């Protein structure tokens, strides 16, 4: 099969094109560095199927970043039949820099001018024929997003791939004599792509020198003779200048810019950026946006009408109508969109459960069968499914922020802040991805070159609460509101997200000053231009997320709930137990064993006979975080005889609260523990694969200890306010000790260096 590679600058639309050609659903985001791994798919509309490889975005073929190394190695080592070089036409000159390098490879090349839809809007014109003559390759205008001209692009690429192409230097260089000579040496050694290697060697490229030391001698000799007063002999920047000059001098020939439009556009987005990336307002705006997102997703009294004493119970819309009852509001004012969708989902699953239950009962089935199916399996499963609408909505909002280009601005603002803590803004990208799921987020840390920064980032990614942790947050905070009659569920949820982020910052400061010390790498990122988010790509995103979630629900979570049911209905001597005897079950036995461990966190031995349910919830969460609420739902019917829940988890948690008398600090500590501790199985496995050597065990330990301490502080301060001062004193002491030790270490190092 033929292999076509998609190569281009970051954010020029490679993944969008890849998805469009292969029908994949790879992550597309409006910022550089989303794709960190090459990805393969199949394009089927040609005579024969061809494989398409989406490469990470690169600015050049010099091995400066992990992305550049991956892309360069792929192009040089694997058999690529044609390179499709994608250019962002709204940034044409800069994008062409890479093209001048790709042209030097002996690989068929086709240039795709992407985002041509934006160009027509601007009124700029590119003379495709002139450009094609200049580059000496075929050039096709496309729009990856709208799917324009893609067939033509692929046909051209296919046609070119059947030809033999020799690398060509597009510009005139003042050291072409050296390059020619080196090329001859490479050809003699039978090395492929001699021109490319010759140019890289004359640039004194590290990898090149390492591989061909004999040829490098020639460069050293040449330099001696080429000595010149106003030239320091840095051929890499000499060639870079020559490349840029070539592009600049020729731009007029093929690029007819409509000046005025461009200027207006520039200043407008500059003006917006001035506010959005302002030191102070930037953060404030981000916080406000986050608040509104959470409000839209979780608030019951969405417009605060109920809180203001308006409407009140009058808004209890169709309370008794099945399925739609209570969707718009249920006596607490008007629901937000997220709550409406969730209520619809819960009503539906409730209805299914009730039909199944009455069906089973009328069949005169045994009561354990009904309990197993309705309370055990369906209860657990539906508790998880009921959160799908809110998870998807939250995910949609984040995707919109990403797609418009706003998230890249946030990374920019946070870089200034993060730098003080010992991370670069680059580390913030994977963290934002963590709001969706830790697994891709952890993989995305590959863009971080420094091992210590990378380890620190991977460790705090789970603190950015992922979709699966959402049920814990909303169910427990919802139950706090209904049981104790205080606060707002959406505010508590929002607060927990903030707690996660603050914990991440604190943990990073701690690590970067102790075990993970090291310089903060530079962070250079161009701000991507603002885009109108595209419905199509948003929907692909959502669909992908939904599929992932459903798959998980019907595999891991389903199996877990069945195991939990079995463990809670059998004793250690394998005797079947009725609901009332659950305290003799295997599950209770194991839970009770661990219960004392969590006493300092507020949900251990002090909760009495039923206290073990919280321990069990936390432990099942290690497999998948959805299990926490699924477990509660399966157990609720056993705790309260005759209890029939609505599968939103809130009523179920309420049962737990009533049975155990747990107080609010204990509940908050429970959420915090689940949010900060060892993440789910999939995330742990990914972390193991991605962490530098020897860092895995300490990472697990870090998660355990950190979550334990934070939860304990929450519980103790919440229960005995004066403990706050003890903790403050301890923190101050620790900070001082760390500072002192670091000072000593630095002094020692300096002394060693000067010796
Ligand atoms: P990559 O980093 O090169 O993989 O770029 P992505 O595929 O992630 O796309 C970056 C951004 O450009 C996303 O916001 C896309 O929606 C947007 N984009 C990609 N192709 C087009 C296009 O043809 N037209 C427009 N208007 N936007 C595009
Ligand atoms: Mg990409």
């Amino acid at each position: 099969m033929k292999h076509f590679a998609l190569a281009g600058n970051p954010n020029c639309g490679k993944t969008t094109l890849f998805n469009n050609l292969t029908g994949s659903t790879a992550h597309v985001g409006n910022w550089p560095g989303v794709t960190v791994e090459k990805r393969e798919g199949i394009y089927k509309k040609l005579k024969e199927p061809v494989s398409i490889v989406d490469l990470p975005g690169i600015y050049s073929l010099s091995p400066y970043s992990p992305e550049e190394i991956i892309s360069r190695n792929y192009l040089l080592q694997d058999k690529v039949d044609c390179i499709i070089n994608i250019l962002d036409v709204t940034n044409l000159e800069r994008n062409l820099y890479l093209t001048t390098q790709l042209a030097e490879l002996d690989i068929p090349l086709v240039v795709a001018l992407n985002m041509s839809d934006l160009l027509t809007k601007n009124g700029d014109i590119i003379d495709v024929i002139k450009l094609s003559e200049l580059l000496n390759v075929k050039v096709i205008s496309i729009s990856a997003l709208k799917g324009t001209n893609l067939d033509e692009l692929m046909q051209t690429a296919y046609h070119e791939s059947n030809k033999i192409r020799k690398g060509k230097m597009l510009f005139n260089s003042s050291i072409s004599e050296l390059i020619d000579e080196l090329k001859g040496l490479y050809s003699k050694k039978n090395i492929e792509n001699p021109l490319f290697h010759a140019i890289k060697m004359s640039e004194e490229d590290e990898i090149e020198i390492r591989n061909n030391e004999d040829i490098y001698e020639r460069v050293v000799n040449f330099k001696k003779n080429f000595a010149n007063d106003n030239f320091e002999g840095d051929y890499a920047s000499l060639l870079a200048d020559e490349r840029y000059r070539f592009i600049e001098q020729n731009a007029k020939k093929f690029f007819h810019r409509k000046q005025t439009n461009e200027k207006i556009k520039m200043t407008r987005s500059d003006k917006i950026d001035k506010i959005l990336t302002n030191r102070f307002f930037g953060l404030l705006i981000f916080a406000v946006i986050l608040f509104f997102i959470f409000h839209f997703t979780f608030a019951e009294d969405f417009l605060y009408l109920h809180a203001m004493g308006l409407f009140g119970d009058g808004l209890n819309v169709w309370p008794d109508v099945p399925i739609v009852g209570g969707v718009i509001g249920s006596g607490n004012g008007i629901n937000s969109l997220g709550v409406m969708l969730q209520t619809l989902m819960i009503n539906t699953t409730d209805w299914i459960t009730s039909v199944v239950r009455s069906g089973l009962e009328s069949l005169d089935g045994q009561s354990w069968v009904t309990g197993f199916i309705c309370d055990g399996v369906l209860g657990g499963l539906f508790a998880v499914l009921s959160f799908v609408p809110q998870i998807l909505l939250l995910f949609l909002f984040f995707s919109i922020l990403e797609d418009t280009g706003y998230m890249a601005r946030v990374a920019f603002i946070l870089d200034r802040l993060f730098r003080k803590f010992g991370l670069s803004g680059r580390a913030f990208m994977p963290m934002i991805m963590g709001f969706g799921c830790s697994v891709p987020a952890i993989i995305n840390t590959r863009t971080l070159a420094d091992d210590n920064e990378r380890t620190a980032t991977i460790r705090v990614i789970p603190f950015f609460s992922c979709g699966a942790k959402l049920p814990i947050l909303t169910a427990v905070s919802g139950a706090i509101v209904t049981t104790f009659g205080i606060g707002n569920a959406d505010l508590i949820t929002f607060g927990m997200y903030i707690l996660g982020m603050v914990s991440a910052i604190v943990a990073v400061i701690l690590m970067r000053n102790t075990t993970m010390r090291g310089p903060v790498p530079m962070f250079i990122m161009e701000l991507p231009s603002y885009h109108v988010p595209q419905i199509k790509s948003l929907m692909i995103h959502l669909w992908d997320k939904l599929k992932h979630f459903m798959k998980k629900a019907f595999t891991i979570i389903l199996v877990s709930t069945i195991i939990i049911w079995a463990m809670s209905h059998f004793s250690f001597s394998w005797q079947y137990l009725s609901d009332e005897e659950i305290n003799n079950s295997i599950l209770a036995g194991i839970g009770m064993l661990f219960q004392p461990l969590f006493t300092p966190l507020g949900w251990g031995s002090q909760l009495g006979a039923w206290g073990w349910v919280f321990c069990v919830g936390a432990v099942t969460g290690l497999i998948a975080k959805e299990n926490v609420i699924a477990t509660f739902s399966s157990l609720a019917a056993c705790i309260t005889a005759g209890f029939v829940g609505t599968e939103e988890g809130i009523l179920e948690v309420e049962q737990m609260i009533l049975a155990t008398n747990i107080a609010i600090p204990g509940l908050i500590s429970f959420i915090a523990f689940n949010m900060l501790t060892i993440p789910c199985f999939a995330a742990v496995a990914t972390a193991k694969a991605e962490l530098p050597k020897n860092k895995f065990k300490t990472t697990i330990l870090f998660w355990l200890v950190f979550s334990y301490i934070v939860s304990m502080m929450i519980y103790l301060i919440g229960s005995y306010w004066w403990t706050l001062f003890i903790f403050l004193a301890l923190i101050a002491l620790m900070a001082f000790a760390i500072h002192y030790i670091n000072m000593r270490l630095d002094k020692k190092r300096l002394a060693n260096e000067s010796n």
Side-chain angles (χ1 to χ4, degrees):
M1 190 165 23
K2 282 188 190 274
H3 292 267
F4 294 179
L6 306 182
N9 284 187
N11 219 34
C12 66
K14 293 177 299 301
T15 305
T16 311
L17 180 64
F18 176 79
N19 286 347
N20 211 326
L21 294 176
T22 62
S24 315
T25 52
H27 193 103
V28 174
N30 192 6
W31 73 46
V34 175
T35 312
V36 289
E37 228 185 341
K38 57 177 200 281
R39 207 180 280 112
E40 215 169 327
I42 307 283
Y43 179 71
K44 299 195 183 111
K45 287 206 233 159
L46 291 168
K47 263 182 248 142
E48 53 174 318
V50 292
S51 136
I52 310 263
V53 178
D54 180 23
L55 293 175
I58 47 175
Y59 293 108
S60 78
L61 289 173
S62 311
Y64 296 132
S65 67
E67 291 100 317
E68 280 164 350
I69 294 173
I70 292 174
S71 295
R72 166 167 156 158
N73 286 347
Y74 184 77
L75 293 176
L76 288 179
Q77 285 160 13
D78 292 66
K79 289 267 164 261
V80 177
D81 296 288
C82 184
I83 300 173
I84 301 180
N85 176 204
I86 297 148
L87 308 183
D88 169 0
V89 283
T90 60
N91 240 324
L92 191 57
E93 278 105 326
R94 218 227 1 253
N95 277 238
L96 276 168
Y97 184 75
L98 178 67
T99 313
T100 62
Q101 298 190 28
L102 293 174
E104 287 152 10
L105 293 162
D106 294 346
I107 305 174
L109 176 68
V110 173
V111 165
L113 298 176
N114 190 29
M115 312 219 190
S116 52
D117 53 312
L118 296 177
L119 202 65
T120 6
K121 235 186 260 170
N122 286 353
D124 295 345
I125 295 169
I126 291 176
D127 187 336
V128 174
I129 297 172
K130 283 260 168 58
L131 182 61
S132 168
E133 275 167 10
L134 186 73
L135 302 175
N136 205 7
V137 297
K138 293 265 179 349
V139 177
I140 316 274
S141 266
I142 64 162
S143 166
L145 192 70
K146 307 236 143 80
T148 325
N149 264 357
L150 302 190
D151 291 342
E152 193 190 336
L153 173 69
M154 293 311 289
Q155 234 127 44
T156 312
Y158 187 72
H159 193 70
E160 292 298 305
S161 73
N162 289 325
K163 297 186 194 162
I164 290 174
R165 183 175 174 281
K166 282 280 156 228
K168 189 170 180 304
M169 213 164 141
L170 295 174
F171 58 100
N172 295 321
S173 172
S174 48
I175 53 166
S176 52
E177 193 189 321
L178 170 68
I179 293 172
D180 280 344
E181 196 186 330
L182 295 175
K183 186 180 162 193
L185 294 177
Y186 276 106
S187 300
K188 226 183 264 164
K189 282 177 83 175
N190 266 333
I191 291 178
E192 286 177 37
N193 297 304
L195 176 63
F196 172 82
H197 286 290
I199 294 174
K200 282 288 158 224
M201 178 59 91
S202 67
E203 287 177 358
E204 301 185 84
D205 177 286
E206 279 171 48
I207 300 182
E208 210 55 62
I209 296 175
R210 210 181 312 136
N211 293 343
N212 298 287
E213 275 173 22
D214 48 333
I215 299 184
Y216 181 54
E217 278 168 27
R218 187 57 211 100
V219 181
V220 178
N221 278 336
F222 184 86
K223 273 192 150 180
K224 273 190 205 135
N225 303 328
F226 196 78
N228 181 327
D229 286 345
N230 43 32
F231 180 66
E232 313 256 304
D234 180 1
Y235 292 160
S237 44
L238 175 83
L239 287 173
D241 278 348
E242 286 172 349
R243 284 179 204 279
Y244 274 122
R245 212 171 313 133
F246 162 77
I247 297 166
E248 212 177 286
Q249 281 170 352
N250 289 293
K252 282 188 278 327
K253 292 188 201 151
F254 58 81
F255 199 6
H256 308 293
R257 211 190 299 266
K258 203 169 173 195
Q259 277 292 344
T260 45
N261 249 352
E262 184 74 5
K263 260 192 195 142
I264 293 171
K265 208 179 116 205
M266 276 303 289
T267 50
R268 197 193 296 155
S269 94
D270 282 352
K271 266 184 201 155
I272 299 174
D273 274 345
K274 227 180 198 156
I275 302 170
L276 289 187
T277 60
N278 177 285
R279 222 167 259 269
F280 173 71
F281 289 110
L283 276 177
L284 194 72
I285 292 172
F286 183 48
V288 170
I289 290 178
L290 276 188
F291 172 77
F292 272 106
I293 288 178
F294 281 84
H295 196 64
F296 262 107
T297 314
F298 301 115
E300 295 206 335
D301 185 13
F302 167 57
L303 298 170
Y304 293 116
L305 293 178
H306 188 69
M308 291 188 300
L310 294 169
F311 293 109
D313 299 346
L315 262 172
N316 205 340
V317 188
W318 309 308
D320 302 320
V321 183
I323 309 290
V324 291
V327 167
I328 293 173
S330 55
N332 286 322
I334 299 177
N335 286 333
S336 62
L337 185 59
V339 175
M340 283 189 200
L341 293 174
Q342 190 196 28
T343 314
L344 205 60
M345 184 81 168
I346 291 168
N347 289 352
T348 313
T349 51
D350 273 355
W351 179 78
I352 294 174
T353 314
S354 70
V355 169
V356 172
R357 192 185 296 276
S358 58
L360 285 173
E361 275 163 4
S362 71
L363 276 177
D364 204 25
Q366 280 179 298
S367 73
W368 74 266
V369 179
T370 314
F372 168 64
I373 293 184
C374 294
D375 303 321
V377 177
L378 291 185
L381 198 61
F382 286 167
V384 173
L385 288 187
S386 72
F387 285 95
V388 169
Q390 282 172 324
I391 290 171
L392 288 186
L393 199 62
L394 202 61
F395 196 71
L396 176 72
F397 285 127
F398 280 125
S399 299
I400 292 174
L401 290 189
E402 232 181 73
D403 228 29
T404 50
Y406 177 68
M407 280 302 194
R409 269 78 189 174
V410 176
F412 181 77
I413 320 168
L414 287 175
D415 181 55
R416 282 184 298 227
L417 193 72
F418 269 39
R419 199 151 283 279
K420 297 199 182 93
F421 307 139
L423 286 186
S424 63
R426 211 163 206 219
F428 185 66
M429 309 291 194
M431 291 180 188
I432 284 185
M433 290 171 94
F435 281 131
C437 174
S438 297
V439 172
I442 291 173
I443 294 174
N444 193 266
T445 58
R446 286 182 197 170
T447 51
L448 304 173
D450 181 71
D451 264 3
N452 279 351
E453 188 189 23
R454 188 159 181 227
T455 305
T457 309
I458 289 179
R459 286 178 180 171
V460 300
I461 279 176
F463 298 175
F464 292 78
S465 196
C466 72
K469 289 178 185 168
L470 198 84
I472 312 174
L473 268 64
T474 45
V476 177
S477 46
I480 290 177
V481 173
T482 53
T483 322
F484 300 95
I486 57 142
N488 261 330
D490 57 323
L491 271 182
I492 302 179
T493 310
F494 180 58
M496 294 313 288
Y497 268 80
I498 300 281
L499 174 80
M501 292 191 255
V502 172
S503 301
I505 291 174
V506 171
V508 164
I509 296 179
L510 202 64
M511 280 189 273
R512 293 296 268 170
N513 280 298
T514 54
T515 54
M516 296 288 136
R517 296 217 302 160
V520 187
M522 251 202 333
F523 174 59
I524 305 172
M525 184 185 74
E526 51 173 327
L527 291 180
S529 43
Y530 288 105
H531 285 279
V532 180
Q534 298 294 324
I535 309 276
K536 190 174 154 198
S537 64
L538 289 178
M539 287 304 126
I540 290 178
H541 249 101
L542 283 192
W543 175 237
D544 210 38
K545 188 86 185 161
L546 182 69
K547 265 198 314 207
H548 170 79
F549 208 82
M550 286 300 185
K551 210 170 123 197
K552 216 159 125 197
F554 286 98
T555 51
I556 294 182
I557 298 164
L558 184 64
V559 171
S560 304
T561 44
I562 292 174
I563 292 174
I564 294 209
W565 185 89
M567 284 173 72
S568 61
H569 284 82
F570 283 96
S571 68
F572 280 104
S573 50
W574 291 111
Q575 258 188 326
Y576 174 73
L577 305 168
S578 68
D579 285 355
E580 290 76 41
E581 299 165 306
I582 189 174
N583 264 341
N584 300 323
S585 65
I586 301 176
L587 196 66
I590 296 174
M592 285 170 192
L593 193 68
F594 287 108
Q595 203 174 343
L597 279 180
F598 299 104
T599 309
L601 309 195
W603 36 282
S605 301
Q606 67 267 66
L607 298 186
W610 286 112
W612 58 268
V613 289
F614 286 96
C615 313
V616 168
V619 173
T620 56
L622 297 182
I623 300 164
K625 292 293 165 186
E626 293 93 336
N627 275 343
V628 178
I629 295 303
T631 305
F632 284 178
S633 298
S634 305
L635 296 179
C638 309
I639 289 181
T640 318
F643 170 76
V644 180
T646 59
E647 276 92 10
E648 58 185 330
I650 293 178
L651 280 184
E652 282 76 357
V653 178
E654 237 181 86
Q655 300 310 306
M656 306 290 153
I657 297 174
L658 295 178
T660 58
N661 266 326
I662 185 172
I664 295 175
L667 288 166
I668 302 273
S669 132
F670 180 73
I671 306 180
F673 183 79
N674 280 291
M675 204 164 87
L676 304 178
T677 198
I678 304 175
C680 70
F681 207 71
V684 170
T686 313
K688 183 166 186 195
E690 297 292 327
L691 277 166
K693 273 195 202 98
N694 308 329
K695 295 280 163 56
F696 178 64
K697 277 184 203 146
T698 44
T699 300
I700 295 285
L701 194 68
F702 164 79
W703 280 327
L704 272 178
V705 172
F706 190 83
S707 58
Y708 195 89
I709 292 178
V710 172
S711 311
M712 185 172 71
M713 282 171 66
I714 290 174
Y715 170 64
L716 287 179
I717 295 171
S719 309
Y720 317 98
W721 60 269
W722 46 267
T723 51
L724 173 68
F725 299 107
I726 299 179
F727 284 119
L728 284 180
L730 284 175
I731 289 169
L733 204 66
M734 195 176 70
F736 184 75
I738 290 173
H739 185 70
Y740 181 74
I741 293 172
N742 280 344
M743 223 165 59
R744 289 283 297 264
L745 285 178
D746 284 343
K747 228 182 230 164
K748 220 188 229 162
R749 211 192 48 225
L750 278 180
N752 278 345
E753 269 167 21
S754 62
N755 278 343

